[in-house]
Amino acid sequence: MIGSTMTNHELHTLLALDRSTLPEDGRPEFNRLIFSRSPYLLQHSRNPVDWREWGPTAQEEARQRNLPLFVSIGYATCHWCHVMAHESFEDEEVADILNHAFVPVKVDREERPDLDEFCMAACQTLTNSGGWPLNCFLKPDGTPFYALTYLPKEPRRGMPGFLELLENIARVWQHKQDAVERNAQSLMEALGQMATVPQVTATPNLQKLADTALATLRKIHDPQYQGFGKAPKFPMPPYLLFLLGRDNRAEQELALGALQAMRQGGIWDQLGGGIHRYSTDQRWLVPHFEKMLYDQALVAYTALEAYALTKENRYLEMADNLLEFVLAELTAPEGGFYCGLDADSEGREGACYVWEKQEIEQILGDEAALFCSQYGVTEQGNFEEPGKNVLFQANSNQAAELKEAQEKLLAVRNQRQQPLRDIKILSGWNGLMVAALARGAALTGNQRWLEAARRAAAFISSSLTRADGRLLRSWCGTPSTIPGFLEDYGFLGWGYLELYKAGEDTADLQTAEKLCKDALRLFRSDDGRLVTAGIDQEQLPLALSDNHDGVIPSGPAALAMNLVTLVRLTDKTEWKNTAEEVLVGLLPSLTRQPVSGLWLLAAQRLWQSSTQG
């Protein structure tokens, strides 16, 4: 594997391997991760680092050997995770110190969002930044004392070297335990303050929160290139859906302009469909090339809402492009939806997607000039590799006669090595996709979309639900033993509510109600917070409650929105009381930064219109 990118063939070979003949450490060909079902962990199964999976066994070993845990968290389609794996985790020198001075643990963040959230909070508290790979140093009891993201093996461009850092931390652990204890204690105090419930002195003024959020969105809006912020630039569906739900046309236009800019930019796969995770620049031009299921689902849902608002077909075309990409590229034979496609192939980011002008001229002949003009292709290129081009719509008028040219180039592109497909199925992300497909079916009458949504929901119900009804987090050939988290219940509940609205099958409404009841039972802590992991799951040193939306809504906000929707659909007193209780508990957390809780603000707005109407 060049640069640590695994091919689809290699992944399937490892998944099909008979592990019963291997020793328990996987040696000599593998390490312990060969026994995992996670594609991300399998990517690291040939590292010289003697990785363990997270769990009590690794913690007990750290206790017995009196060593810190080194917990490295990432995901299968992550470019910088591959870079660090190639530079450090495949390196014998790094492996030697990790194996002797630490107990090294690999975690797939998509399987353990609770552990990722806990370590990310530690990293952000210590460094004011976060991202993946996320590397956290923990005491054997699971308390963090240091954390960081990507580092090169050796010092480079002002960045310290990872090897030197490991040596320093190993020395501190051996000779300055008091410093480790001080660090761990002050970090846990800071995290504890984050986790405390704000004291409610008065009910927050909804209008004021919404006005503050809108002021922030206007301030960070990019009038030149559309969207929000500078670089890197993310699609941010929670922002866009909030704006589309406003009554003010100028506010709606901020969202519509962002959608149009994304569709024309290099962040959109102009040949194969689908949207990449984010743009590395302000202009939506050069993407970070991984394609995540949650982005396809939420941007499609946003485009459908834009279509419902404007009746303009361009937004329906966007949604169609995204949903059809998922049906073609991310759908399992069993009916569920896969997590995503890697950013890299052939050891390089974007290798599958970029083009040289000469290559296009050879394939298209006389059509090449028009194609290059339409898609911004030049001799010098627009990518970090000279002469390579990311395709984007250089002219807003889409040339209909180029459809055949697109198909020719796509056929050639399909012959290249394809990015790794992470064939893990997550119940929550599938809920997002079910919601988008069902919403699309409700708006257009497209029965294929409704059928695909039903198949996925049926798959989660049969293969990702225990006999006692407990939802599980993930499936890869077989279900994991990891119970579902709050976001799984929130997102799947949303999917079932959209299914009910599309087909009016009362069984869908009953399932949504059950998911909400179970979520309230499992994820409400004694102090009334909605926490990420359930009462029946492993309890980390601190139960965090993340009420802040990122590119996807937070679990608490998703549940709140579902409760309000149930009030509208059922008019049951039980749901009215519960929805009000949850909203009253969550809204104070938004007073500091309302723009981070737009899903919750939208839920509160819907609640007000329901109770007043």
Side-chain angles (χ1 to χ4, degrees):
M1 290 181 284
I2 307 167
S4 301
T5 51
M6 180 183 272
T7 66
N8 289 300
H9 174 72
E10 285 166 333
L11 173 60
H12 286 281
T13 302
L14 288 182
L15 282 168
L17 189 73
D18 177 10
R19 295 162 171 77
S20 64
T21 59
L22 296 174
E24 74 177 42
D25 64 357
R27 299 295 182 195
E29 189 179 351
F30 305 106
N31 57 44
R32 290 171 171 82
L33 297 185
I34 192 59
F35 298 102
S36 168
R37 305 299 290 177
S38 155
Y40 176 63
L41 299 190
L42 287 170
Q43 281 178 343
H44 293 80
S45 63
R46 284 194 169 99
N47 292 170
V49 178
D50 191 11
W51 295 114
R52 284 90 169 137
E53 290 195 58
W54 174 263
T57 310
Q59 287 181 265
E60 183 54 35
E61 184 185 344
R63 256 190 295 274
Q64 288 186 0
R65 292 172 63 194
N66 188 26
L67 292 176
L69 291 150
F70 169 72
V71 177
S72 181
I73 305 174
Y75 56 104
T77 56
C78 164
H79 169 69
W80 285 104
C81 300
H82 302 329
V83 174
M84 189 158 182
H86 183 52
E87 292 175 349
S88 292
F89 303 142
E90 291 173 12
D91 181 88
E92 296 287 350
E93 198 178 2
V94 171
D96 187 57
I97 187 167
L98 277 174
N99 294 342
H100 289 100
F102 302 88
V103 174
V105 174
K106 254 286 164 212
V107 176
D108 182 338
R109 70 170 293 255
E110 294 167 358
E111 287 197 318
R112 288 299 303 265
D114 58 332
L115 191 57
D116 177 62
E117 185 184 317
F118 177 62
C119 290
M120 185 65 77
C123 185
Q124 288 171 330
T125 302
L126 285 165
T127 67
N128 285 323
S129 68
W132 298 276
L134 171 61
N135 300 297
C136 205
F137 296 86
L138 310 171
K139 289 165 53 188
D141 66 1
T143 312
F145 63 90
Y146 193 70
L148 66 147
T149 56
Y150 165 80
L151 274 189
K153 180 193 168 188
E154 304 290 352
R156 190 170 71 217
R157 294 194 214 117
M159 293 175 90
F162 183 59
L163 188 61
E164 191 181 341
L165 177 89
L166 289 178
E167 289 165 347
N168 288 341
I169 288 181
R171 265 196 304 275
V172 169
W173 181 266
Q174 289 296 331
H175 305 296
K176 295 183 180 173
Q177 270 290 327
D178 55 333
V180 171
E181 288 301 330
R182 274 199 312 276
N183 251 29
Q185 194 178 342
S186 62
L187 186 51
M188 286 303 291
E189 281 169 9
L191 293 175
Q193 285 172 354
M194 281 170 55
T196 53
V197 183
Q199 290 305 307
V200 185
T201 48
T203 308
N205 182 317
L206 178 71
Q207 190 59 51
K208 193 176 173 188
L209 289 177
D211 289 347
T212 306
L214 283 165
T216 306
L217 288 176
R218 285 199 189 96
K219 187 177 174 184
I220 62 174
H221 175 251
D222 180 349
Q224 187 173 6
Y225 297 111
Q226 299 302 317
F228 300 91
K230 293 184 178 172
K233 195 177 266 186
F234 289 81
M236 298 308 292
Y239 289 4
L240 306 184
L241 285 164
F242 177 78
L243 290 165
L244 290 174
R246 305 293 296 167
D247 298 325
N248 180 313
R249 185 63 187 189
E251 290 163 8
Q252 294 166 356
E253 287 291 347
L254 297 181
L256 297 173
L259 283 171
Q260 291 167 31
M262 283 184 248
R263 180 65 183 93
Q264 289 165 12
I267 190 174
W268 204 281
D269 181 352
Q270 301 293 339
L271 290 185
I275 190 169
H276 298 293
R277 185 161 160 257
Y278 65 82
S279 172
T280 60
D281 55 60
Q282 194 175 343
R283 300 163 50 203
W284 300 109
L285 176 60
V286 178
H288 194 42
F289 286 91
E290 68 220 63
K291 289 180 180 175
M292 308 305 293
L293 179 65
Y294 56 77
D295 285 323
Q296 317 309 314
L298 287 170
V299 177
Y301 192 93
T302 307
L304 288 164
E305 290 304 302
Y307 171 69
L309 178 73
T310 65
K311 303 296 183 283
E312 289 182 34
N313 281 332
R314 59 173 152 185
Y315 300 113
L316 185 55
E317 181 278 330
M318 284 180 75
D320 180 80
N321 180 292
L322 295 165
L323 297 177
E324 292 299 329
F325 161 73
V326 171
L327 294 182
E329 296 294 331
L330 292 178
T331 304
E334 297 84 0
F337 303 112
Y338 297 139
C339 280
L341 295 179
D342 205 331
D344 298 17
S345 51
E346 300 174 39
R348 304 194 318 280
E349 187 175 13
C352 181
Y353 298 102
V354 295
W355 297 87
E356 289 178 355
K357 189 176 186 209
Q358 188 182 2
E359 191 182 7
I360 290 174
E361 287 168 345
Q362 285 171 346
I363 297 162
L364 296 183
D366 294 343
E367 295 174 290
L370 178 61
F371 185 91
C372 290
S373 161
Q374 176 66 34
Y375 287 101
V377 177
T378 61
E379 205 71 55
Q380 64 269 27
N382 57 21
F383 190 52
E384 60 191 35
E385 294 177 49
K388 302 278 190 185
N389 290 272
V390 177
L391 303 183
F392 70 100
Q393 292 179 23
N395 305 307
S396 53
N397 297 326
Q398 182 74 342
E401 64 268 33
L402 288 174
K403 189 149 182 55
E404 205 176 304
Q406 286 177 309
E407 284 167 5
K408 281 182 193 170
L409 290 175
L410 188 58
V412 171
R413 194 180 90 177
N414 288 340
Q415 298 307 306
R416 297 173 179 172
Q417 187 188 106
Q418 296 301 297
L420 177 77
R421 184 181 285 107
D422 183 346
I423 57 169
K424 191 168 70 272
I425 294 172
L426 297 179
S427 50
W429 294 8
N430 271 252
L432 297 176
M433 198 64 215
V434 168
L437 285 162
R439 180 69 175 130
L443 278 173
T444 66
N446 186 325
Q447 291 305 298
R448 269 183 69 251
W449 290 351
L450 190 58
E451 181 54 36
R454 288 213 173 284
R455 279 191 74 217
F459 173 77
I460 302 298
S461 170
S462 63
S463 300
L464 267 162
T465 310
R466 282 193 325 222
D468 63 359
R470 182 65 160 95
L471 189 61
L472 296 170
R473 173 66 175 175
S474 68
W475 187 94
C476 191
T478 55
S480 72
T481 55
I482 302 165
F485 296 91
L486 176 56
E487 71 169 35
D488 295 305
Y489 281 80
F491 297 160
L492 190 60
W494 181 28
Y496 271 103
L497 288 168
E498 293 291 349
L499 273 176
Y500 173 69
K501 289 192 254 183
E504 295 195 357
D505 183 338
T506 52
D508 293 327
L509 185 60
Q510 286 163 358
T511 305
E513 289 189 276
K514 183 182 186 308
L515 285 164
C516 286
K517 281 176 185 164
D518 288 351
L520 291 161
R521 176 175 54 82
L522 289 164
F523 301 102
R524 251 204 293 202
S525 65
D526 294 340
D527 57 8
R529 290 180 304 139
L530 286 166
V531 294
T532 302
I535 52 172
D536 59 344
Q537 289 171 272
E538 178 196 358
Q539 299 302 301
L540 297 173
L542 194 66
L544 289 180
S545 173
D546 188 2
N547 300 339
H548 298 104
D549 305 330
V551 290
I552 60 177
S554 73
L559 178 60
M561 181 68 89
N562 294 349
L563 294 170
V564 174
T565 306
L566 282 174
V567 172
R568 291 176 76 92
L569 293 175
T570 69
D571 204 30
K572 289 181 183 174
T573 309
E574 169 196 5
W575 292 125
K576 282 183 185 170
N577 295 340
T578 309
E580 185 168 27
E581 210 177 287
V582 167
L583 286 168
V584 165
L586 289 174
L587 283 167
S589 67
L590 299 189
T591 48
R592 266 186 310 202
Q593 204 181 10
V595 78
S596 68
L598 296 181
W599 208 264
L600 195 54
L601 281 178
Q604 174 69 14
R605 189 167 185 258
L606 194 63
W607 164 254
Q608 282 193 329
S609 70
S610 306
T611 50
Q612 287 164 6

mmCIF file of all heavy atoms in Angstrom, residues 420-449:
data_model
loop_
_atom_site.group_PDB
_atom_site.id
_atom_site.type_symbol
_atom_site.label_atom_id
_atom_site.label_comp_id
_atom_site.label_asym_id
_atom_site.label_seq_id
_atom_site.Cartn_x
_atom_site.Cartn_y
_atom_site.Cartn_z
ATOM 1 N N LEU A 420 -10.942 3.911 -1.667
ATOM 2 C CA LEU A 420 -11.492 2.906 -0.758
ATOM 3 C C LEU A 420 -12.918 3.286 -0.363
ATOM 4 O O LEU A 420 -13.206 4.435 -0.049
ATOM 5 C CB LEU A 420 -10.635 2.827 0.511
ATOM 6 C CG LEU A 420 -11.160 1.856 1.587
ATOM 7 C CD1 LEU A 420 -10.839 0.417 1.209
ATOM 8 C CD2 LEU A 420 -10.590 2.186 2.954
ATOM 9 N N ARG A 421 -13.794 2.299 -0.399
ATOM 10 C CA ARG A 421 -15.167 2.486 0.088
ATOM 11 C C ARG A 421 -15.230 1.932 1.507
ATOM 12 O O ARG A 421 -14.945 0.755 1.715
ATOM 13 C CB ARG A 421 -16.142 1.748 -0.840
ATOM 14 C CG ARG A 421 -17.601 1.946 -0.502
ATOM 15 C CD ARG A 421 -18.492 1.161 -1.455
ATOM 16 N NE ARG A 421 -18.574 1.788 -2.766
ATOM 17 C CZ ARG A 421 -17.980 1.328 -3.871
ATOM 18 N NH1 ARG A 421 -17.265 0.218 -3.825
ATOM 19 N NH2 ARG A 421 -18.110 1.945 -5.013
ATOM 20 N N ASP A 422 -15.561 2.780 2.471
ATOM 21 C CA ASP A 422 -15.717 2.316 3.856
ATOM 22 C C ASP A 422 -17.083 1.634 3.944
ATOM 23 O O ASP A 422 -18.121 2.297 3.996
ATOM 24 C CB ASP A 422 -15.638 3.498 4.827
ATOM 25 C CG ASP A 422 -15.731 3.048 6.293
ATOM 26 O OD1 ASP A 422 -16.114 1.888 6.536
ATOM 27 O OD2 ASP A 422 -15.434 3.861 7.184
ATOM 28 N N ILE A 423 -17.066 0.288 3.955
ATOM 29 C CA ILE A 423 -18.323 -0.464 3.866
ATOM 30 C C ILE A 423 -18.939 -0.737 5.247
ATOM 31 O O ILE A 423 -19.677 -1.689 5.420
ATOM 32 C CB ILE A 423 -18.137 -1.775 3.067
ATOM 33 C CG1 ILE A 423 -17.035 -2.634 3.696
ATOM 34 C CG2 ILE A 423 -17.842 -1.485 1.617
ATOM 35 C CD1 ILE A 423 -16.961 -4.038 3.130
ATOM 36 N N LYS A 424 -18.631 0.140 6.172
ATOM 37 C CA LYS A 424 -19.280 0.089 7.479
ATOM 38 C C LYS A 424 -20.636 0.788 7.350
ATOM 39 O O LYS A 424 -20.760 1.786 6.635
ATOM 40 C CB LYS A 424 -18.378 0.819 8.477
ATOM 41 C CG LYS A 424 -18.714 0.687 9.922
ATOM 42 C CD LYS A 424 -17.588 1.200 10.806
ATOM 43 C CE LYS A 424 -17.397 2.688 10.790
ATOM 44 N NZ LYS A 424 -16.548 3.286 9.809
ATOM 45 N N ILE A 425 -21.638 0.263 8.023
ATOM 46 C CA ILE A 425 -22.979 0.859 7.997
ATOM 47 C C ILE A 425 -23.311 1.359 9.397
ATOM 48 O O ILE A 425 -23.265 0.585 10.353
ATOM 49 C CB ILE A 425 -24.013 -0.182 7.501
ATOM 50 C CG1 ILE A 425 -23.739 -0.531 6.037
ATOM 51 C CG2 ILE A 425 -25.440 0.331 7.684
ATOM 52 C CD1 ILE A 425 -24.572 -1.688 5.501
ATOM 53 N N LEU A 426 -23.584 2.657 9.528
ATOM 54 C CA LEU A 426 -23.909 3.251 10.829
ATOM 55 C C LEU A 426 -25.410 3.526 10.896
ATOM 56 O O LEU A 426 -25.976 4.120 9.969
ATOM 57 C CB LEU A 426 -23.151 4.564 11.029
ATOM 58 C CG LEU A 426 -21.620 4.480 11.070
ATOM 59 C CD1 LEU A 426 -21.025 5.860 11.252
ATOM 60 C CD2 LEU A 426 -21.147 3.556 12.188
ATOM 61 N N SER A 427 -26.046 3.136 11.998
ATOM 62 C CA SER A 427 -27.500 3.283 12.074
ATOM 63 C C SER A 427 -27.917 4.757 11.998
ATOM 64 O O SER A 427 -28.883 5.098 11.313
ATOM 65 C CB SER A 427 -28.051 2.604 13.330
ATOM 66 O OG SER A 427 -27.338 2.992 14.468
ATOM 67 N N GLY A 428 -27.197 5.646 12.681
ATOM 68 C CA GLY A 428 -27.572 7.062 12.677
ATOM 69 C C GLY A 428 -27.433 7.706 11.311
ATOM 70 O O GLY A 428 -28.337 8.401 10.844
ATOM 71 N N TRP A 429 -26.287 7.496 10.660
ATOM 72 C CA TRP A 429 -26.091 8.099 9.336
ATOM 73 C C TRP A 429 -27.093 7.538 8.335
ATOM 74 O O TRP A 429 -27.523 8.236 7.423
ATOM 75 C CB TRP A 429 -24.660 7.860 8.850
ATOM 76 C CG TRP A 429 -23.618 8.564 9.666
ATOM 77 C CD1 TRP A 429 -23.796 9.249 10.839
ATOM 78 C CD2 TRP A 429 -22.219 8.651 9.369
ATOM 79 N NE1 TRP A 429 -22.599 9.741 11.285
ATOM 80 C CE2 TRP A 429 -21.614 9.394 10.412
ATOM 81 C CE3 TRP A 429 -21.420 8.170 8.340
ATOM 82 C CZ2 TRP A 429 -20.255 9.671 10.435
ATOM 83 C CZ3 TRP A 429 -20.055 8.439 8.361
ATOM 84 C CH2 TRP A 429 -19.482 9.187 9.398
ATOM 85 N N ASN A 430 -27.472 6.270 8.506
ATOM 86 C CA ASN A 430 -28.505 5.705 7.651
ATOM 87 C C ASN A 430 -29.842 6.413 7.891
ATOM 88 O O ASN A 430 -30.618 6.626 6.955
ATOM 89 C CB ASN A 430 -28.634 4.198 7.877
ATOM 90 C CG ASN A 430 -27.716 3.408 6.971
ATOM 91 O OD1 ASN A 430 -28.149 2.756 6.037
ATOM 92 N ND2 ASN A 430 -26.408 3.497 7.207
ATOM 93 N N GLY A 431 -30.081 6.803 9.144
ATOM 94 C CA GLY A 431 -31.292 7.570 9.440
ATOM 95 C C GLY A 431 -31.336 8.874 8.670
ATOM 96 O O GLY A 431 -32.392 9.272 8.147
ATOM 97 N N LEU A 432 -30.185 9.558 8.570
ATOM 98 C CA LEU A 432 -30.110 10.810 7.793
ATOM 99 C C LEU A 432 -30.461 10.566 6.329
ATOM 100 O O LEU A 432 -31.178 11.355 5.707
ATOM 101 C CB LEU A 432 -28.702 11.416 7.889
ATOM 102 C CG LEU A 432 -28.208 11.861 9.260
ATOM 103 C CD1 LEU A 432 -26.766 12.346 9.177
ATOM 104 C CD2 LEU A 432 -29.098 12.969 9.834
ATOM 105 N N MET A 433 -29.934 9.462 5.794
ATOM 106 C CA MET A 433 -30.179 9.152 4.381
ATOM 107 C C MET A 433 -31.634 8.764 4.146
ATOM 108 O O MET A 433 -32.236 9.139 3.136
ATOM 109 C CB MET A 433 -29.231 8.023 3.957
ATOM 110 C CG MET A 433 -29.071 7.899 2.458
ATOM 111 S SD MET A 433 -28.312 9.361 1.751
ATOM 112 C CE MET A 433 -29.181 9.409 0.189
ATOM 113 N N VAL A 434 -32.192 8.012 5.080
ATOM 114 C CA VAL A 434 -33.618 7.647 4.993
ATOM 115 C C VAL A 434 -34.466 8.919 4.980
ATOM 116 O O VAL A 434 -35.405 9.058 4.192
ATOM 117 C CB VAL A 434 -34.020 6.721 6.171
ATOM 118 C CG1 VAL A 434 -35.536 6.577 6.273
ATOM 119 C CG2 VAL A 434 -33.372 5.345 6.010
ATOM 120 N N ALA A 435 -34.117 9.893 5.846
ATOM 121 C CA ALA A 435 -34.860 11.158 5.913
ATOM 122 C C ALA A 435 -34.813 11.890 4.575
ATOM 123 O O ALA A 435 -35.833 12.383 4.087
ATOM 124 C CB ALA A 435 -34.293 12.043 7.031
ATOM 125 N N ALA A 436 -33.620 11.957 3.965
ATOM 126 C CA ALA A 436 -33.474 12.675 2.686
ATOM 127 C C ALA A 436 -34.254 11.983 1.569
ATOM 128 O O ALA A 436 -34.960 12.644 0.789
ATOM 129 C CB ALA A 436 -31.993 12.783 2.324
ATOM 130 N N LEU A 437 -34.131 10.667 1.480
ATOM 131 C CA LEU A 437 -34.840 9.927 0.429
ATOM 132 C C LEU A 437 -36.357 10.039 0.607
ATOM 133 O O LEU A 437 -37.095 10.238 -0.369
ATOM 134 C CB LEU A 437 -34.423 8.454 0.446
ATOM 135 C CG LEU A 437 -33.037 8.139 -0.123
ATOM 136 C CD1 LEU A 437 -32.557 6.771 0.350
ATOM 137 C CD2 LEU A 437 -33.028 8.201 -1.655
ATOM 138 N N ALA A 438 -36.823 9.921 1.843
ATOM 139 C CA ALA A 438 -38.264 10.003 2.100
ATOM 140 C C ALA A 438 -38.790 11.406 1.814
ATOM 141 O O ALA A 438 -39.878 11.566 1.252
ATOM 142 C CB ALA A 438 -38.557 9.593 3.544
ATOM 143 N N ARG A 439 -38.019 12.418 2.179
ATOM 144 C CA ARG A 439 -38.430 13.803 1.877
ATOM 145 C C ARG A 439 -38.502 14.004 0.365
ATOM 146 O O ARG A 439 -39.436 14.634 -0.151
ATOM 147 C CB ARG A 439 -37.443 14.786 2.507
ATOM 148 C CG ARG A 439 -37.766 16.262 2.258
ATOM 149 C CD ARG A 439 -39.015 16.692 2.983
ATOM 150 N NE ARG A 439 -39.267 18.122 2.841
ATOM 151 C CZ ARG A 439 -40.435 18.632 2.463
ATOM 152 N NH1 ARG A 439 -41.456 17.843 2.183
ATOM 153 N NH2 ARG A 439 -40.609 19.946 2.367
ATOM 154 N N GLY A 440 -37.509 13.467 -0.343
ATOM 155 C CA GLY A 440 -37.516 13.570 -1.808
ATOM 156 C C GLY A 440 -38.730 12.883 -2.407
ATOM 157 O O GLY A 440 -39.369 13.404 -3.335
ATOM 158 N N ALA A 441 -39.070 11.709 -1.870
ATOM 159 C CA ALA A 441 -40.237 10.971 -2.365
ATOM 160 C C ALA A 441 -41.526 11.740 -2.084
ATOM 161 O O ALA A 441 -42.426 11.805 -2.932
ATOM 162 C CB ALA A 441 -40.286 9.590 -1.714
ATOM 163 N N ALA A 442 -41.610 12.344 -0.901
ATOM 164 C CA ALA A 442 -42.811 13.109 -0.544
ATOM 165 C C ALA A 442 -43.001 14.305 -1.478
ATOM 166 O O ALA A 442 -44.122 14.642 -1.860
ATOM 167 C CB ALA A 442 -42.718 13.578 0.903
ATOM 168 N N LEU A 443 -41.896 14.934 -1.873
ATOM 169 C CA LEU A 443 -41.985 16.120 -2.731
ATOM 170 C C LEU A 443 -42.225 15.781 -4.198
ATOM 171 O O LEU A 443 -42.832 16.562 -4.926
ATOM 172 C CB LEU A 443 -40.685 16.936 -2.629
ATOM 173 C CG LEU A 443 -40.537 17.882 -1.442
ATOM 174 C CD1 LEU A 443 -39.138 18.473 -1.405
ATOM 175 C CD2 LEU A 443 -41.571 19.009 -1.511
ATOM 176 N N THR A 444 -41.720 14.641 -4.647
ATOM 177 C CA THR A 444 -41.724 14.350 -6.094
ATOM 178 C C THR A 444 -42.550 13.135 -6.477
ATOM 179 O O THR A 444 -42.814 12.924 -7.656
ATOM 180 C CB THR A 444 -40.281 14.096 -6.587
ATOM 181 O OG1 THR A 444 -39.795 12.878 -5.962
ATOM 182 C CG2 THR A 444 -39.346 15.247 -6.246
ATOM 183 N N GLY A 445 -42.894 12.313 -5.484
ATOM 184 C CA GLY A 445 -43.588 11.062 -5.810
ATOM 185 C C GLY A 445 -42.665 9.973 -6.334
ATOM 186 O O GLY A 445 -43.117 8.940 -6.824
ATOM 187 N N ASN A 446 -41.327 10.177 -6.224
ATOM 188 C CA ASN A 446 -40.354 9.195 -6.721
ATOM 189 C C ASN A 446 -40.384 7.938 -5.826
ATOM 190 O O ASN A 446 -39.867 7.934 -4.715
ATOM 191 C CB ASN A 446 -38.949 9.819 -6.729
ATOM 192 C CG ASN A 446 -37.907 8.920 -7.365
ATOM 193 O OD1 ASN A 446 -37.958 7.698 -7.234
ATOM 194 N ND2 ASN A 446 -36.954 9.528 -8.051
ATOM 195 N N GLN A 447 -40.989 6.879 -6.353
ATOM 196 C CA GLN A 447 -41.162 5.654 -5.555
ATOM 197 C C GLN A 447 -39.855 4.894 -5.350
ATOM 198 O O GLN A 447 -39.706 4.171 -4.368
ATOM 199 C CB GLN A 447 -42.218 4.738 -6.213
ATOM 200 C CG GLN A 447 -43.628 5.302 -6.153
ATOM 201 C CD GLN A 447 -44.071 5.639 -4.728
ATOM 202 O OE1 GLN A 447 -44.155 4.779 -3.865
ATOM 203 N NE2 GLN A 447 -44.349 6.926 -4.466
ATOM 204 N N ARG A 448 -38.901 5.050 -6.276
ATOM 205 C CA ARG A 448 -37.581 4.401 -6.108
ATOM 206 C C ARG A 448 -36.909 4.907 -4.843
ATOM 207 O O ARG A 448 -36.300 4.155 -4.096
ATOM 208 C CB ARG A 448 -36.673 4.694 -7.308
ATOM 209 C CG ARG A 448 -36.743 3.685 -8.425
ATOM 210 C CD ARG A 448 -35.770 4.013 -9.544
ATOM 211 N NE ARG A 448 -34.376 3.832 -9.155
ATOM 212 C CZ ARG A 448 -33.520 4.848 -8.958
ATOM 213 N NH1 ARG A 448 -33.899 6.092 -9.114
ATOM 214 N NH2 ARG A 448 -32.274 4.598 -8.624
ATOM 215 N N TRP A 449 -37.009 6.204 -4.623
ATOM 216 C CA TRP A 449 -36.398 6.794 -3.423
ATOM 217 C C TRP A 449 -37.090 6.277 -2.172
ATOM 218 O O TRP A 449 -36.435 5.948 -1.179
ATOM 219 C CB TRP A 449 -36.472 8.323 -3.482
ATOM 220 C CG TRP A 449 -35.567 8.918 -4.534
ATOM 221 C CD1 TRP A 449 -34.610 8.267 -5.268
ATOM 222 C CD2 TRP A 449 -35.527 10.286 -4.952
ATOM 223 N NE1 TRP A 449 -33.981 9.146 -6.125
ATOM 224 C CE2 TRP A 449 -34.523 10.398 -5.951
ATOM 225 C CE3 TRP A 449 -36.240 11.424 -4.597
ATOM 226 C CZ2 TRP A 449 -34.220 11.604 -6.587
ATOM 227 C CZ3 TRP A 449 -35.936 12.640 -5.227
ATOM 228 C CH2 TRP A 449 -34.935 12.726 -6.201
#
